[in-house]
Amino acid sequence: RKEVEQDPGPFNVPEGATVAFNCTYSNSASQSFFWYRQDCRKEPKLLMSVYSSGNEDGRFTAQLNRASQYISLLIRDSKLSDSATYLCVVNTDTGRRALTFGSGTRLQVQP
Amino acid sequence: DGGITQSPKYLFRKEGQNVTLSCEQNLNHDAMYWYRQDPGQGLRLIYYSQIVNDFQKGDIAEGYSVSREKKESFPLTVTSAQKNPTAFYLCASGVREIQPQHFGDGTRLSIL
């Protein structure tokens, strides 16, 4: 089982739609969770951290479910500019002192 | 402006040649990382360093080498032992391993 798993997509949605991505992680001791966004042929950029109580940043909402070991990202009122690959990132706490990146979920917002 | 600078943006390697990718940060971060990304794939960790003069292998260290002589700098050498070096190489830095990482804008390496 991969340490961090995401549905690769693509998710094709119309502008204005609400879309949600899930990500599962294997290590129950993981402490830190993030969503990154990566545009085609660019570097990943931090979108938001994910907190235990859930958190929101404008149209983006992140949730953490420790019992089921998954995190989610909800995007409301999708814009064309939201088209990108969304990477789930977890500190998997396996003795390796580095974050583990999921392979990403590709989102394509269509006019 | 604080940030991470990778150079060059594009690099071409000949057979049997070693090449070095530069990564410099002025964020005063202790931790630095190197990743490789192949087309349509996720990021794979090559090497990381949590402190000056110390570094650890990641998942795909074979054919690569690094040094960390200064806090600001973490160069990656792609040796001739790396038989399939064509990829997008990303350098990142962070305060510590449970904090988010910030990335440079990458180096694209190709074989001549």
Side-chain angles (χ1 to χ4, degrees), chain A residues 12-93:
Chain A
N12 294 303
V13 302
E15 267 187 294
T18 295
V19 61
F21 309 134
N22 283 341
C23 163
T24 58
Y25 60 95
S26 60
N27 192 321
S28 60
S30 296
Q31 300 172 283
S32 304
F33 309 89
F34 309 97
W35 283 102
Y36 276 71
R37 169 194 170 127
Q38 186 174 25
D39 293 293
C40 189
R41 298 178 67 82
K42 298 284 191 183
E43 75 277 18
K45 292 186 178 174
L46 178 66
L47 181 65
M48 59 197 301
S49 301
V50 186
Y51 302 119
S52 296
S53 54
N55 49 298
E56 192 173 299
D57 183 1
R59 298 181 293 108
F60 298 84
T61 300
Q63 299 267 339
L64 168 63
N65 185 320
R66 284 192 185 272
S68 301
Q69 293 179 213
Y70 77 83
I71 66 174
S72 63
L73 178 68
L74 182 79
I75 305 174
R76 290 182 298 278
D77 188 23
S78 300
K79 312 290 184 194
L80 293 175
S81 58
D82 293 333
S83 297
T85 296
Y86 291 84
L87 307 175
C88 171
V89 184
V90 178
N91 158 242
T92 53
D93 192 31

